[in-house]
Amino acid sequence: MRLYSAALSLFSRKVEIALAEKGLAFDRVMVPFTQSAGYSPKHPDVLALNPKGQVPVLVDGDVQLYDSTVILEYLEDAYPTPALYPATPQARAQCRQWELFADEILLAPVRALMHRTGPRPADPQRWLDLEAAAEIAKGQIAQHLAHLDQQLASKAYFCGTFSVADIALFTTVLYSQRLGGPSLKPHRALHAWYTKLQSRTAFAPVIVEIVAADRALSVPVAGAYS
Ligand SMILES: N[C@@H](CCC(=O)N[C@@H](CS)C(=O)NCC(=O)O)C(=O)O
């Protein structure tokens, strides 16, 4: 199996964690990324394998897939043990919904913090405008974190047992933390869940690599990882 990934690609890291949870060996191709040029120039294999030109891309024998959600569903079908989705249709749908919440709803305001790791714009007003938008986004993230915290009041994982929902939500919450988003500490259940996942065998090395990539590639962010 080969995975095209990138050092600071949230969606690729989701797939890396799922592969590790399933105990699947894979060759990893890290595509180039810099804060100033992003993913440009794009890796030629990624351009050939994904019409969107994005990572992650998974190649498993004859199977060539892009999009982290599609890849995770393929991994579950092709390599069902250990399961990363619950058993019943209702619970599986809820789990997929949580993944979408992480990737699209929670990530939307987290994106508004992403300028912080990149080079400062030449125009100081542009920076002030971005930071004003970031402050609004922080309020939205805080509301989402409170909602997630409530969900965990009566269960250890978002879908009862550990699942794709936890992988997706963890990576997006991690990104909120590396970008100086609101602290998790006021949210006791969420903070405990986050701490527990950080020490899982499949998560810990990925987190170490993301922190190292930030040190190597990103502008330091005040309050990051605090
Ligand atoms: N929905 C896709 C999103 C993939 C995505 O946005 N990948 C980013 C890196 S995290 C990328 O390759 N961006 C480069 C680009 O869009 O040109 C997924 O879940 O895999």
Side-chain angles (χ1 to χ4, degrees):
M1 231 185 276
R2 186 183 325 129
L3 178 72
Y4 292 86
S5 180
L8 289 171
S9 161
L10 178 155
F11 294 105
S12 302
R13 297 304 194 165
K14 250 176 86 183
V15 175
E16 288 188 18
I17 292 171
L19 285 163
E21 286 286 348
K22 285 191 173 287
L24 296 168
F26 60 100
D27 295 328
R28 191 174 63 170
V29 178
M30 293 305 249
V31 306
F33 172 83
T34 61
Q35 291 287 359
S36 48
Y39 292 88
S40 181
K42 297 241 172 148
H43 192 291
D45 292 1
V46 171
L47 286 174
L49 292 165
N50 181 353
K52 294 175 99 173
Q54 296 178 326
V55 286
V57 172
L58 183 79
V59 180
D60 185 20
D62 293 341
V63 178
Q64 302 172 344
L65 294 171
Y66 55 88
D67 193 280
S68 61
T69 299
V70 173
I71 293 171
L72 263 50
E73 292 198 339
Y74 165 73
L75 291 176
E76 187 74 0
D77 291 341
Y79 307 96
T81 309
L84 291 181
Y85 292 80
T88 68
Q90 292 81 357
R92 288 169 88 87
Q94 190 58 58
C95 183
R96 292 188 172 103
Q97 190 89 88
W98 276 122
E99 185 189 0
L100 183 139
F101 179 88
D103 291 0
E104 296 186 22
I105 312 295
L106 178 57
L107 184 58
V110 172
R111 280 190 194 281
L113 310 181
M114 287 187 178
H115 62 280
R116 292 178 167 177
T117 50
R120 281 252 180 159
D123 176 2
Q125 187 57 46
R126 173 81 187 125
W127 176 259
L128 293 176
D129 292 347
L130 287 168
E131 275 303 296
E135 279 310 308
I136 294 168
K138 275 177 76 172
Q140 295 165 342
I141 296 167
Q143 283 181 5
H144 288 317
L145 296 181
H147 172 61
L148 294 175
D149 187 53
Q150 281 166 14
Q151 295 295 316
L152 290 171
S154 57
K155 54 193 176 196
Y157 299 102
F158 280 91
C159 298
T161 54
F162 177 80
S163 75
V164 156
D166 300 291
I167 297 174
L169 286 163
F170 179 89
T171 47
T172 310
V173 171
L174 170 67
Y175 270 55
S176 77
Q177 299 304 292
R178 62 174 278 268
L179 297 166
S183 170
L184 300 183
K185 289 191 183 124
H187 311 291
R188 272 183 55 187
L190 185 68
H191 188 248
W193 164 88
Y194 184 79
T195 307
K196 181 173 60 185
L197 291 190
Q198 273 183 321
S199 57
R200 273 177 94 93
T201 314
F203 285 63
V206 171
I207 299 163
V208 167
E209 284 194 2
I210 291 171
V211 173
D214 263 332
R215 264 197 224 105
L217 298 170
S218 302
V219 173
V221 176
Y225 298 112
S226 60

